[in-house]
């Protein structure tokens, strides 16, 4: 899977990155984390999002700054919000609040995931 996450085909990289990222309980090695970290430079937002979630599930500290940048961007994918919730870093709350304030036109699923992430981090902050 690590080799496939570096494939020249974007769809193959996306599927491999999803597979690597979603196996947090079963597999966690430095090589796997490095493969996920390498995908944070992808131009495809979904692919970056899968890598963010995988690193966040593993509480890899290297994900914090890329995740901040993703949450501050003009287009935010739901995977970035999910990663913020999984990372459980309450310093992301102000970014999520700003995102909620500008998410008026977002679909209801995005707003729901965002509300859940905010509630989870606010509960941790108490």
């Amino acid at each position: 899977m690590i080799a496939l996450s570096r494939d020249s085909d974007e769809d193959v990289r996306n599927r491999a990155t999803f597979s690597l990222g979603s196996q947090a309980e079963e597999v966690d090695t430095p090589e796997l984390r490095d493969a996920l970290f390498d995908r944070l430079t992808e131009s495809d937002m979904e692919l970056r999002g899968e890598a963010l979630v995988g690193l966040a599930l593993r509480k890899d500290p290297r994900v914090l700054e890329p995740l901040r940048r993703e949450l501050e961007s003009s287009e935010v994918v739901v995977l970035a919000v999910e990663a913020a919730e999984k990372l459980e870093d309450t310093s992301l709350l102000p970014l999520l609040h700003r995102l909620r304030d500008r998410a008026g036109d977002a679909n209801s699923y995005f707003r729901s995931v965002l509300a859940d992430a905010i509630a989870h981090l606010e509960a941790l902050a108490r």
Side-chain angles (χ1 to χ4, degrees):
M1 279 297 158
I2 290 173
L4 290 174
S5 76
R6 296 181 176 113
D7 194 89
S8 61
D9 185 290
E10 187 175 279
D11 288 334
V12 172
R13 287 195 313 276
N14 192 351
R15 290 180 184 165
T17 301
F18 168 77
S19 181
L20 290 171
S22 62
Q23 299 177 16
E25 285 79 40
E26 299 93 35
V27 181
D28 186 13
T29 66
E31 295 81 15
L32 183 142
R33 288 179 184 223
D34 288 345
L36 290 171
F37 189 79
D38 289 346
R39 302 289 56 86
L40 296 179
T41 59
E42 292 283 342
S43 60
D44 181 77
M45 291 169 43
E46 182 180 347
L47 211 162
R48 285 194 317 269
E50 296 293 358
L52 289 168
V53 170
L55 290 167
L57 282 168
R58 292 167 175 82
K59 308 293 190 250
D60 189 310
R62 298 177 297 172
V63 76
L64 184 58
E65 287 311 310
L67 181 53
R68 282 183 188 283
R69 286 191 300 275
E70 203 71 36
L71 293 171
E72 290 172 337
S73 71
S74 59
E75 284 187 66
V76 179
V77 294
V78 72
L79 289 167
V81 176
E82 290 175 2
E85 181 176 2
K86 304 292 185 207
L87 187 59
E88 296 185 324
D89 188 317
T90 58
S91 73
L92 296 171
L93 269 170
L95 292 173
L96 294 176
H97 287 145
R98 272 183 262 165
L99 187 55
R100 179 190 58 202
D101 293 344
R102 67 178 211 244
D105 293 337
N107 67 46
S108 61
Y109 177 70
F110 182 88
R111 288 193 315 268
S112 174
V113 170
L114 181 56
D116 290 347
I118 289 171
H120 181 72
L121 293 181
E122 285 178 341
L124 292 174
R126 292 186 196 126

